[in-house]
Amino acid sequence: MDKHLAGIDFSAPSAEVARRLIGVTMLVDGVGGRIVETEAYDRTEPAAHSFNGPTPRNFSMFGPPGRSYVYRSHGLHWCLNFVCREEGHGAGVLIRALEPLAGLERMRERRGLDDPRLLCSGPGRLCQALGVTREFNNLALDAAPFALLAPEAGAAVAVLAGPRIGISKAVELPWRFGLAGSRFLSKPMR
DNA sequence: TGTATGATCGCCT
DNA sequence: GGCGATCATACAG
């Protein structure tokens, strides 16, 4: 597949891909919105699932870039990543929050909530809102059910960086990225 | 506004 | 047997 998607080169380092994904619109079966928060992971640092090599859970992280890696977190939530770098490297970007724009009614049904700020503001929440489960693992991001749309040309996207959330290793790396001023972040940027 | 806790599964030591 | 790339709820201040 073409490694360039929504104007982003997915063979680039995960931190660069994570930064450039802010402002991109992501849809799953037509439901989704603008990406406002991401985190980068790379096999070279111990917070990444790929750090210890391939396992049955993380094998899609070692496949070609531009595909999905979906895993179960804490036994009950799903989390969505976009694979990057070259095939076999083991890098990805965790999608942590969206600004809901399309399919709001579907999201409300799935989440059992009305407040738009609680629909997609967290990696587990957005997967529930978009209906992402294990069946969506290791799929190409340039084909249905996924769709990625670049921001409008010339649109200014102000991105802030900070430490990643919920990890205990490599906590110092500033590999969390967020849209400045967004009300849809899982937590404010520092 | 903040801190604690339970739910519950796959992988690692 | 322990520990997460989490979330919702319960409580304290």
Side-chain angles (χ1 to χ4, degrees), chain A residues 31-93:
Chain A
V31 178
R34 184 161 60 153
I35 298 172
V36 298
E37 183 181 343
T38 59
E39 282 179 0
Y41 290 88
D42 187 280
R43 187 174 178 180
T44 56
E45 46 87 13
H49 285 172
S50 54
F51 183 65
N52 289 311
T55 69
R57 174 173 73 158
N58 69 16
F59 74 93
S60 50
M61 272 191 101
F62 291 89
R67 296 178 74 90
S68 60
Y69 162 48
V70 177
Y71 71 94
R72 213 210 266 277
S73 175
H74 291 265
L76 59 159
H77 305 290
W78 298 101
C79 293
L80 171 66
N81 292 250
F82 295 166
V83 176
C84 47
R85 294 295 293 257
E86 71 277 12
E87 179 160 357
H89 181 87
V93 174

Side-chain angles (χ1 to χ4, degrees), chain A residues 56-57 59 70-72 78 132-138:
Chain A
R57 174 173 73 158
F59 74 93
V70 177
Y71 71 94
R72 213 210 266 277
W78 298 101
V132 172
T133 64
R134 180 142 216 93
E135 300 161 28
F136 292 73
N137 183 42
N138 200 31

Side-chain angles (χ1 to χ4, degrees), chain A residues 9-24:
Chain A
D9 178 6
F10 276 75
S11 65
S14 53
E16 183 181 329
V17 175
R19 178 182 285 276
R20 297 202 54 192
L21 278 168
I22 302 299
V24 169

